[in-house]
C-alpha cells in the first residue's frame, strides 16, 4: 500500500531569501567583462547595507548658463585648477553632460602648473577629483623620482560611445562625463612615464594604483580585460553596496641597456670593442700566410 508523502516539518527553517542587492551583474562592469569585482569582506554579505544614494549629477553640477558649477568655480578662484565652462555638447541617446567643464591644468603644491594634454572634458565633480588625484597623489609620487609633473597625457574624457567601443554594449561612463583615461605623464626633466609596456617604475605604479583605487569606483589598466593595455581608466560610477572595481596588473619594462653617460671616461662602448676585435681578426687573417699546397701525389688513391 502506497504511503502518502509526509508534510514538511514545521520546525525546519526555510533559508532566508538572497538580498536583491547582493552579487554583481553586468551593470557593475564599466569597461569590460573581465573586470575584477570587489566588495567589502569584513562583514557577512547578509549584513551589508546599501550606502546612501549619491546626489544626481545635475544637482552637484548645476550652474547658470555659461558659468562653472560652484565646486569648480571655487577651485578656479583659489587658482588650484585652470578650467572653464565648455560649450554645450550635442545631445545623443544614452549620453548626457548638461554642464560640461574643460580642465586644462592643475596647480601643484609647489606652485607650478601641470597641463592636461589635450584638455579634458568632464563633469565638474569628476574633473575636481582627477585634479586632486594629480595634485595630492601623482605629483608627490613623481617627486620621489627626483622630478616634477609637467604634463598629464590624456587618453580620453567625455565621449558618447559604448563600453570599449563595442557595438551593442552599454554606454560607457565616458558618455556621462564621469570618466578619465590617461596614457601616463611627462616629467620636467623630459622623462616620459607610459602605461604601455610598463614604462614606469614599479614603485610608482603601485602608488598610482593604490591612490586611484582609493579615490575612484572603477580603475582598469593593463591585464584587466584586454582593452586597457596602454592607458589607465578611472571613473566615479555609483553602484549598489558601493562596489568598486580595481584591476590593474603591475608590469615593468625590461632593463634598459647601460646608458652612454654611465661609461667610464676612456673606455670604449661594447659595440665599439666588438668592432675593434673584428677588425683585428680581419687584419690578422690578411697578414698570416697560407700553408703551401699539398703535393698531388701524396695521399690515398681512390678505389681498390
Amino acid at each position: 500500500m502506497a504511503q502518502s508523502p509526509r508534510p514538511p516539518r514545521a520546525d525546519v527553517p526555510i533559508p532566508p531569501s538572497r538580498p536583491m542587492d547582493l552579487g554583481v551583474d553586468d551593470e557593475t562592469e564599466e569597461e569590460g567583462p573581465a573586470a575584477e569585482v570587489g566588495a567589502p569582506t569584513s562583514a557577512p554579505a547578509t549584513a551589508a547595507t546599501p550606502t546612501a544614494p549619491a546626489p544626481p549629477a545635475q544637482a552637484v553640477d548645476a550652474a547658470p548658463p555659461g558659468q562653472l558649477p560652484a565646486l569648480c568655480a571655487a577651485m578656479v578662484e583659489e587658482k588650484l585648477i585652470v578650467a572653464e565652462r565648455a560649450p554645450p555638447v550635442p545631445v545623443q541617446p544614452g549620453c548626457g553632460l548638461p554642464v560640461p567643464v574643460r580642465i586644462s591644468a592643475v596647480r601643484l603644491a609647489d606652485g607650478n602648473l601641470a597641463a592636461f594634454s589635450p584638455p579634458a572634458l568632464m563633469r565638474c565633480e569628476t574633473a575636481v577629483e582627477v585634479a586632486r588625484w594629480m595634485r595630492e597623489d601623482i605629483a608627490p609620487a613623481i617627486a620621489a623620482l627626483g622630478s616634477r609633473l609637467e604634463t598629464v597625457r590624456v587618453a580620453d574624457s567625455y565621449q558618447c560611445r559604448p563600453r570599449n567601443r563595442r557595438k551593442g554594449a552599454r554606454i560607457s561612463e565616458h558618455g556621462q562625463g564621469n570618466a578619465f583615461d590617461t596614457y601616463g605623464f611627462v616629467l620636467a626633466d623630459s622623462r616620459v612615464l607610459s602605461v604601455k609596456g610598463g614604462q614606469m617604475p614599479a614603485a610608482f605604479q603601485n602608488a598610482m594604483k593604490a591612490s586611484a583605487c582609493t579615490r575612484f569606483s572603477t580603475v582598469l589598466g593593463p591585464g584587466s580585460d584586454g582593452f586597457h593595455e596602454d592607458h589607465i581608466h578611472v571613473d566615479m560610477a555609483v553602484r549598489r553596496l558601493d562596489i568598486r572595481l580595481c584591476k590593474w596588473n603591475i608590469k615593468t619594462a625590461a632593463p634598459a641597456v647601460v646608458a652612454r653617460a654611465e661609461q667610464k671616461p676612456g673606455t670604449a662602448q661594447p659595440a665599439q670593442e666588438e668592432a675593434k676585435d673584428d677588425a683585428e681578426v680581419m687584419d690578422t687573417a690578411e697578414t698570416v700566410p697560407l700553408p703551401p699546397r699539398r703535393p698531388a701525389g701524396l695521399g690515398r688513391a681512390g678505389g681498390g
Side-chain angles (χ1 to χ4, degrees), residues 72-241:
C72 283
M75 295 282 283
V76 170
E77 180 68 22
E78 296 174 16
K79 298 184 178 180
L80 295 178
I81 62 173
V82 178
E84 62 181 350
R85 174 73 175 263
V89 299
V91 177
Q92 301 182 60
C95 298
L97 186 56
V99 186
V101 174
R102 181 183 291 113
I103 181 170
S104 55
V106 56
R107 190 171 301 280
L108 307 180
D110 62 5
N112 288 291
L113 285 174
F116 287 85
S117 180
L121 188 66
M122 295 175 279
R123 290 177 50 218
C124 172
E125 186 180 9
T126 307
V128 167
E129 195 60 38
V130 169
R132 287 172 174 164
W133 182 36
M134 296 301 156
R135 175 184 169 89
E136 300 171 8
D137 300 320
I138 300 301
I142 288 176
L145 301 178
S147 190
R148 174 175 55 81
L149 175 60
E150 184 81 12
T151 305
V152 181
R153 300 170 59 213
V154 178
D156 201 4
S157 52
Y158 172 79
Q159 189 178 51
C160 185
R161 61 171 176 81
R163 297 174 183 173
N164 301 316
R165 297 178 173 83
R166 293 179 301 171
K167 186 176 180 180
R170 301 190 180 194
I171 295 296
S172 168
E173 288 293 316
H174 286 285
Q176 310 299 326
N178 210 29
F180 175 80
D181 294 356
T182 179
Y183 290 124
F185 313 99
V186 179
L187 311 191
D189 58 9
S190 299
R191 279 184 289 171
V192 178
L193 304 182
S194 295
V195 174
K196 186 176 181 180
Q199 299 289 331
M200 298 178 175
F204 175 82
Q205 291 186 66
N206 283 317
M208 181 178 175
K209 178 181 178 180
S211 61
C213 293
T214 299
R215 287 183 177 275
F216 301 98
S217 56
T218 309
V219 178
L220 298 172
S224 60
D225 56 12
F227 294 98
H228 300 83
E229 297 307 301
D230 64 351
H231 67 278
I232 302 300
H233 167 96
V234 299
D235 69 45
M236 298 178 67
V238 177
R239 302 186 181 92
R240 293 167 296 185
L241 301 180

